[in-house]
Amino acid sequence: MPVIVLEARDLISPLFLIRTWEILSGCTTFSLVASLEDSELNKNPSTLRFNTFRVFCMFTWCFFFTLSLLIHILSVIQFHSLIPISWKNLTMTVAVLGGLMCFTASVLFPWIIMDHQRVSPRPLVAAVTSCLTVLAYSSESYILRTQAHEHRGYMGSLPGLLKTIQLWGGFQMIPLVVEVVFGLQRGVHSWQVWVTGVSYGVCLLMSLVTLVVILGDLAGRCPLPFDRFLAGFTVIGVLLYMVATVICFTKILQLRELEQQVSNESAGLVIMETVVAGITLLAYTVDLAFSTKLLCDRSHV
């Protein structure tokens, strides 16, 4: 089969230019951060413990740079039709999830990693280019959302966007749980760590399974109707995140009692976990409402 390359007018289309912007800004960001020396990072011992977040930020920038580059190349040579993946759902998922993940990295990098007492040029430029990457992914998401429904797929609908937020929330909990396991939060009971960790892990696994089914167009092969399949996952997600959110508020109360013994960094981690858990719980709750409405509508048909 001959390879078809985009025409000249397609090379100046908004989508082509925005994806080029994503690749350039993403590559610039992780290249600058990778080139930073220890003297340009925060030397405060209390923040050196948060090396997990630096790895998380670097992984985010590199991973979505790689995905965007592959999508860009496949779009140029028009080779995506030969890949057994729902292309419209893939591009929408990468755009939305990439914007959310890079936004988190853009917040974490200046907050934890940069030396706020002596800001050197390269970390500052890296923070700016990371924000530009977020803007690029947001622009691509907007362009894909404005397309016709048949061109944007399920992940471009509101339930699909909610599932992307659920996936984002699960990914955010990975570095937070790792920091908790290494004992950065004094006054937190081990059972709380295990219950929240298992809850986040189960929900993340369900989100990944749902994403694989959608991207692989495997809904017809599910042993149950796909809408009931999604509704069941959503109910489990609501229950697990309700438990996790209650535990997060409990940890906040515990840290208030140990205010003199707990560092500001540990308190910040608890607050961050509570905020992300609350946002993810809201996404699951709204998604459950959509799933319930869909099931009720179909039962009356």
Side-chain angles (χ1 to χ4, degrees), residues 68-173:
S68 299
L69 182 61
L70 290 175
I71 289 175
H72 203 32
I73 293 174
L74 292 175
S75 298
V76 170
I77 64 177
Q78 296 289 287
F79 197 69
H80 54 80
S81 59
L82 301 180
I83 301 177
I85 294 178
S86 176
W87 182 255
K88 53 189 177 182
N89 286 316
L90 175 65
T91 53
M92 176 60 73
T93 302
V94 172
V96 177
L97 187 59
L100 292 172
M101 295 291 289
C102 290
F103 172 76
T104 304
S106 301
V107 174
L108 290 177
F109 182 74
W111 177 48
I112 294 177
I113 299 174
M114 287 178 59
D115 189 348
H116 300 283
Q117 297 178 354
R118 186 183 59 186
V119 179
S120 55
R122 279 191 291 181
L124 184 60
V125 174
V128 173
T129 54
S130 181
C131 294
L132 292 177
T133 307
V134 176
L135 183 59
Y137 279 113
S138 301
S139 301
E140 182 184 0
S141 303
Y142 175 77
I143 291 177
L144 294 177
R145 281 277 295 170
T146 56
Q147 293 180 346
H149 180 72
E150 60 271 13
H151 295 300
R152 64 186 183 187
Y154 175 83
M155 298 304 292
S157 63
L158 185 54
L161 295 177
L162 291 172
K163 287 175 175 56
T164 306
I165 296 175
Q166 296 163 13
L167 189 61
W168 165 81
F171 284 140
Q172 304 317 299
M173 294 305 179

Side-chain angles (χ1 to χ4, degrees), residues 28-297:
T28 303
T29 302
F30 72 75
S31 299
L32 286 170
V33 176
S35 67
L36 293 178
E37 300 176 357
D38 290 339
S39 59
E40 296 177 275
L41 298 175
N42 199 326
K43 300 297 290 183
N44 188 343
S46 64
T47 58
L48 285 177
R49 299 177 302 181
F50 294 106
N51 190 53
T52 304
F53 289 106
R54 184 185 182 188
V55 174
F56 177 78
C57 293
M58 283 294 293
F59 175 81
T60 297
W61 292 320
C62 295
F63 180 74
F64 283 98
F65 163 78
T66 304
L67 280 182
S68 299
L69 182 61
L70 290 175
I71 289 175
H72 203 32
I73 293 174
L74 292 175
S75 298
V76 170
I77 64 177
Q78 296 289 287
F79 197 69
H80 54 80
S81 59
L82 301 180
I83 301 177
I85 294 178
S86 176
W87 182 255
K88 53 189 177 182
N89 286 316
L90 175 65
T91 53
M92 176 60 73
T93 302
V94 172
V96 177
L97 187 59
L100 292 172
M101 295 291 289
C102 290
F103 172 76
T104 304
S106 301
V107 174
L108 290 177
F109 182 74
W111 177 48
I112 294 177
I113 299 174
M114 287 178 59
D115 189 348
H116 300 283
Q117 297 178 354
R118 186 183 59 186
V119 179
S120 55
R122 279 191 291 181
L124 184 60
V125 174
V128 173
T129 54
S130 181
C131 294
L132 292 177
T133 307
V134 176
L135 183 59
Y137 279 113
S138 301
S139 301
E140 182 184 0
S141 303
Y142 175 77
I143 291 177
L144 294 177
R145 281 277 295 170
T146 56
Q147 293 180 346
H149 180 72
E150 60 271 13
H151 295 300
R152 64 186 183 187
Y154 175 83
M155 298 304 292
S157 63
L158 185 54
L161 295 177
L162 291 172
K163 287 175 175 56
T164 306
I165 296 175
Q166 296 163 13
L167 189 61
W168 165 81
F171 284 140
Q172 304 317 299
M173 294 305 179
I174 295 177
L176 291 171
V177 171
V178 170
E179 293 293 343
V180 172
V181 170
F182 280 97
L184 292 182
Q185 296 180 7
R186 298 183 58 183
V188 176
H189 301 296
S190 60
W191 69 267
Q192 294 175 324
V193 177
W194 282 106
V195 171
T196 54
V198 171
S199 299
Y200 302 144
V202 171
C203 291
L204 179 59
L205 180 61
M206 292 190 303
S207 297
L208 290 174
V209 170
T210 301
L211 183 63
V212 169
V213 172
I214 294 174
L215 295 184
D217 284 331
L218 303 175
R221 302 181 183 180
C222 293
L224 294 175
F226 189 56
D227 51 355
R228 296 185 180 182
F229 174 80
L230 294 180
F233 273 10
T234 306
V235 171
I236 297 174
V238 169
L239 295 176
L240 291 179
Y241 265 96
M242 284 180 64
V243 173
T245 304
V246 171
I247 293 177
C248 287
F249 280 107
T250 303
K251 289 193 289 187
I252 291 178
L253 296 177
Q254 293 172 348
L255 293 178
R256 289 187 62 182
E257 296 176 358
L258 302 172
E259 187 174 357
Q260 301 298 328
Q261 307 176 27
V262 178
S263 63
N264 292 332
E265 290 83 5
S266 298
L269 285 177
V270 177
I271 295 174
M272 185 189 307
E273 181 183 356
T274 306
V275 171
V276 175
I279 294 174
T280 312
L281 175 60
L282 179 62
Y284 272 107
T285 303
V286 177
D287 193 15
L288 179 59
F290 275 102
S291 300
T292 304
K293 183 178 183 300
L294 178 62
L295 291 175
C296 292
D297 291 343

